[in-house]
């Protein structure tokens, strides 16, 4: 399954592609919402590791506008719940992820992103 | 040849489901086990592809061979005797009966049974070298137990994803993302641990780095680097870990004081002793974990041209540690605990041998 928790960590690794290779742009995605158990301690612990802007934009692309453009200083329960939903309950089943730098396309099928490169694309 | 799968007197849905999955059936057939008999107890499985005759569900396999599934028989002794391989829950009776017959056995402890000591027994037998258990390796389970809530990590070469649901007593407190080269195994890893929880898995190469800088707080890499064929490639794999993995952010370092600890475990399985190997006609050691067999298929499926060149590096004592140190030196990383005048390094927390595997646990540290 690829959810935004993973999307927030993935970057392009094609040969020579080392800058502006994150975040990958979502393209032609089909999504499914599935409830997951809310663990506020996990979400608040993970918060500092997030690339916030990348997450907010990716969520928007998937139709979720619940996150503020900047991470507020005070994080309340509502924000943690929204974050939980954005990170762990929106499943991308099909589609692809495009590198903003080199345009390499990483397909997603049956919820599994394919990050393999062909031999000549490995840097 | 003939493989017999048994779950004992209760039910073990996961074992039956996996034993009957295309992945496992294919591996078994590749290894010459064309007749597969499953004692399923009260386990659930997809009966739609089977024909029920009396008490037995059967299915003919394409080409040669068949699968037979039934619930119980008064005694299984006959089944053990005619089997060339037994895949079993970790019931003490079954294990002893099969070992007495000197038959190869794969033991899969049933984690859903409480207080029956299956894990303990399997662990004890694995430590003494009698079986190879397919349960989570205790050293890794302990390591994952120690990871603070809120951390996100990588399981590089996750296979069927058995470490993804850990720790069991704090579900959802950390997320381990599984990476593997086998799409088939990932489809199993996706639902590892059951309970309708979906795991995060990524199809990719353990030698690649498909993550943004500093993506992970911890990482594990189990039984993968010994498949890499040259010292250079193995070192490269370790260097990937050391250089790109988990360069932590400021926020995290504040919460842990001045320096940052990013532990991970690398492990490697040495080649089975040649002496044991020669004893079985099949050329396999008497016992193999399901995962290992699955990894064999992975190689067969993903690298068809390399079937006969599958590499299995035999690690000698201390070699894994040395490999890590060499990789670190090349990257100008200090080896040892955080020290004055040094900005970054690795500290080897422990290394050793458990369950026929070498392991190294280290912390990557960095002053900001
Ligand atoms: Zn790129």
């Amino acid at each position: 399954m690829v959810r935004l928790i993973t999307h927030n960590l993935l970057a392009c690794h094609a040969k020579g592609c080392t800058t502006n290779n994150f975040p990958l742009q979502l393209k032609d995605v089909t999504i499914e919402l599935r409830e997951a158990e809310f663990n506020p301690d996990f979400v608040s612990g993970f918060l500092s590791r997030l690339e916030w802007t990348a997450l907010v934009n990716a969520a928007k692309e998937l139709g979720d506008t619940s996150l503020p453009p900047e991470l507020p200083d005070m994080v309340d329960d509502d924000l943690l719940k929204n974050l939980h939903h954005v990170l762990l309950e929106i499943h991308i089943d099909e589609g692809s992820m495009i590198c903003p730098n080199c345009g390499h396309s990483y397909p997603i099928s049956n919820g599994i992103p394919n990050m393999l490169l062909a031999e000549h694309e490995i840097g | 040849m003939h493989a017999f799968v048994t779950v004992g007197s209760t039910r073990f849905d996961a074992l039956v489901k996996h034993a009957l999955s295309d992945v496992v059936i294919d591996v078994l057939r590749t290894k010459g086990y064309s007749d597969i008999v499953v004692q399923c107890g009260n386990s659930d499985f997809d009966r739609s592809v089977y024909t029920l005759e009396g008490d037995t569900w059967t299915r003919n396999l394409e080409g040669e061979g068949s699968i037979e599934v039934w619930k119980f028989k008064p005694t299984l002794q006959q089944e053990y005797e005619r089997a060339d391989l037994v895949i079993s829950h970790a019931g003490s009776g079954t294990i002893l009966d099969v070992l007495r017959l000197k038959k190869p056995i794969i033991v899969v402890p049933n984690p859903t049974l409480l207080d029956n000591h299956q894990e303990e027994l399997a662990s004890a037998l694995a430590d003494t070298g009698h079986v190879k258990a397919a349960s989570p390796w205790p050293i890794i389970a302990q390591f994952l137990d120690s990871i603070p809530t809120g951390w996100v990590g990588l399981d590089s070469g996750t296979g069927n994803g058995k470490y993804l649901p850990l720790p069991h007593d704090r579900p959802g407190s950390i997320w381990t993302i599984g990476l593997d080269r086998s799409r088939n195994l990932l489809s199993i890893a996706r639902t590892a641990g059951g309970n309708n929880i979906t795991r995060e898995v990524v199809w990719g190469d353990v030698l690649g780095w498909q993550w943004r800088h500093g993506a992970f707080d911890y990482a594990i890499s189990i039984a993968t680097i010994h498949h890499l064929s040259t010292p250079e490639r193995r070192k490269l794999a370790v260097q990937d870990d050391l250089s790109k993995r988990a360069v932590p952010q400021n926020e995290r370092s504040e919460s842990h004081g001045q320096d940052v600890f990013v532990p991970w475990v690398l492990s490697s399985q040495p080649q089975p002793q040649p002496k044991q190997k020669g004893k079985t006609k099949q050329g396999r050691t008497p016992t193999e974990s399901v995962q290992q067999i699955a990894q064999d298929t992975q190689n067969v499926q993903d690298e068809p041209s390399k079937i006969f060149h599958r590499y299995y590096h035999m690690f000698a004592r201390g070699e894994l540690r040395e490999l890590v140190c060499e990789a670190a030196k090349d990257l100008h990383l200090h080896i040892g605990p955080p020290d004055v005048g040094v900005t970054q390094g690795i500290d080897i927390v422990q290394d050793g041998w458990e369950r026929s595997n070498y392991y190294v646990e280290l912390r990557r540290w960095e002053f900001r």
Side-chain angles (χ1 to χ4, degrees), chain A residues 70-112:
Chain A
E70 305 270 326
L71 176 60
D73 291 336
M74 287 291 292
V75 176
D76 60 16
D77 226 37
D78 280 346
L79 179 57
L80 288 182
K81 274 185 192 146
N82 291 339
L83 257 175
H84 164 75
H85 177 71
V86 165
L87 287 170
L88 293 169
E89 296 190 323
I90 308 175
H91 294 254
I92 305 170
D93 283 334
E94 304 289 331
S96 55
M97 295 179 290
I98 314 286
C99 172
N101 183 43
C102 74
H104 195 282
S105 171
Y106 297 93
I108 301 167
S109 84
N110 285 316
I112 300 179

Side-chain angles (χ1 to χ4, degrees), chain A residues 1 3 6 8-11 13 22 34 39 41-42 45-46 48-49 51 88 109-110 112-116, chain B residues 149-150 152 171-173 175 177 183 190 198 200-203 209-212 214-217 249 251-252:
Chain A
M1 274 297 146
R3 282 171 273 188
T6 302
N8 203 259
L9 304 171
L10 288 170
H13 62 129
F22 171 89
R34 286 165 66 184
N39 186 325
D41 293 335
F42 169 75
F46 183 49
S48 65
R49 307 284 280 138
E51 286 291 335
L88 293 169
S109 84
N110 285 316
I112 300 179
N114 178 355
M115 299 301 288
L116 289 169
Chain B
T149 295
V152 171
S173 61
W175 276 86
I177 294 172
R183 184 74 166 61
R190 250 175 79 180
T198 314
E200 286 292 289
V201 297
V202 171
W203 189 13
W209 187 261
Q210 41 266 308
W211 315 97
R212 68 171 159 86
F216 297 110
D217 298 303
Q249 296 179 338
E251 292 87 346
R252 181 68 84 206

